[in-house]
């Protein structure tokens, strides 16, 4: 029998220099700490998926993809002060308030390319989404949220 374990990790991959303009050094430190706290609040895990205990290997592998897809869909809706990049891109591009070049941050869908098969037949899925840490409006500190879902044998889960 198998269980599912999942986690989220987040990191700032690009700081918006406008985050720290027109402020004293102590204010810049406070702004940086606030943005880091926003990003760290996205993180959790690893934790066990509730309601998906004692699955067969085949069912657990299928369920892992569904859990990863659901986590990505939730992330695409954005979080408080951390909107998904696609929802804010046009606003930033049109306002010319930031010098952020359009880039390919990768495919945010869950596909077979996200699937890793292990020697024991279990799978894991890893995906990511891109967000702007924007506590004050008009900022685009670029944040990558990494999502991982793993199938774990139930006997190893108990340890």
């Amino acid at each position: 029998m198998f269980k599912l374990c999942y986690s989220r990790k987040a990191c700032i991959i690009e700081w918006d220099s406008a985050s720290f303009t027109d402020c004293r050094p102590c204010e810049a430190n406070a702004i940086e700490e606030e943005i880091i706290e926003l990003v760290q609040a996205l993180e959790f895990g690893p934790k066990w998926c509730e309601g998906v205990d004692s699955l067969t290997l085949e069912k657990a592998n299928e369920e892992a993809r569904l859990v990863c897809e659901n986590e990505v869909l939730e992330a695409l809706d954005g979080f408080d002060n951390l909107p998904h990049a696609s929802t804010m891109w046009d606003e930033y591009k049109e306002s010319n308030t930031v010098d952020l070049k359009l880039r390919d941050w990768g495919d945010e869908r869950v596909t077979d390319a996200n699937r890793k098969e292990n020697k024991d037949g279990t799978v894991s899925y890893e995906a990511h989404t891109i967000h702007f840490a924007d506590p004050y409006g008009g900022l685009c500190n670029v944040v990558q949220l990494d999502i991982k879902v793993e199938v774990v044998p139930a006997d190893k889960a108990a340890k």
Side-chain angles (χ1 to χ4, degrees):
M1 304 305 340
F2 297 86
K3 295 179 80 169
L4 301 180
C5 177
Y6 65 116
S7 60
R8 290 194 315 213
K9 297 199 181 305
C11 65
I12 299 167
I13 58 174
E14 185 173 328
W15 283 95
D16 181 351
S17 60
S19 300
F20 311 109
T21 57
D22 299 328
C23 61
R24 297 188 301 262
C26 64
E27 293 171 326
N29 287 340
I31 291 167
E32 181 179 17
E33 287 174 13
E34 183 177 357
I35 292 169
I36 290 170
E37 286 176 17
L38 278 173
V39 172
Q40 289 175 338
L42 294 177
E43 298 184 329
F44 65 75
K47 66 182 187 179
W48 301 107
C49 293
E50 295 181 22
V52 288
D53 295 341
S54 302
L55 299 172
T56 64
L57 178 60
E58 183 179 339
K59 183 66 176 159
N61 287 344
E62 290 172 13
E63 198 68 29
R65 181 181 178 132
L66 295 174
V67 170
C68 193
E69 288 173 347
N70 287 338
E71 283 293 311
V72 167
L73 288 173
E74 179 183 326
L76 292 175
D77 285 340
F79 304 94
D80 290 342
N81 296 315
L82 285 152
H84 184 258
S86 67
T87 63
M88 303 297 288
W89 180 253
D90 288 339
E91 176 183 331
Y92 288 117
K93 193 170 79 173
E94 289 173 14
S95 69
N96 291 321
T97 58
V98 294
D99 183 24
L100 186 66
K101 296 173 182 66
L102 181 60
R103 61 175 46 122
D104 179 14
W105 281 309
D107 193 348
E108 294 178 318
R109 296 172 301 151
V110 178
T111 66
D112 286 338
N114 304 85
R115 177 186 169 118
K116 177 185 170 199
E117 189 157 342
N118 303 307
K119 290 179 183 177
D120 63 359
T122 62
V123 299
S124 62
Y125 283 89
E126 293 184 36
H128 74 271
T129 57
I130 300 295
H131 302 266
F132 289 148
D134 188 28
Y136 307 109
L139 299 177
C140 58
N141 298 294
V142 183
V143 175
Q144 180 171 315
L145 177 64
D146 295 315
I147 299 162
K148 184 174 185 177
V149 181
E150 300 175 271
V151 175
V152 179
D155 60 334
K156 289 184 181 177
K159 295 177 184 178

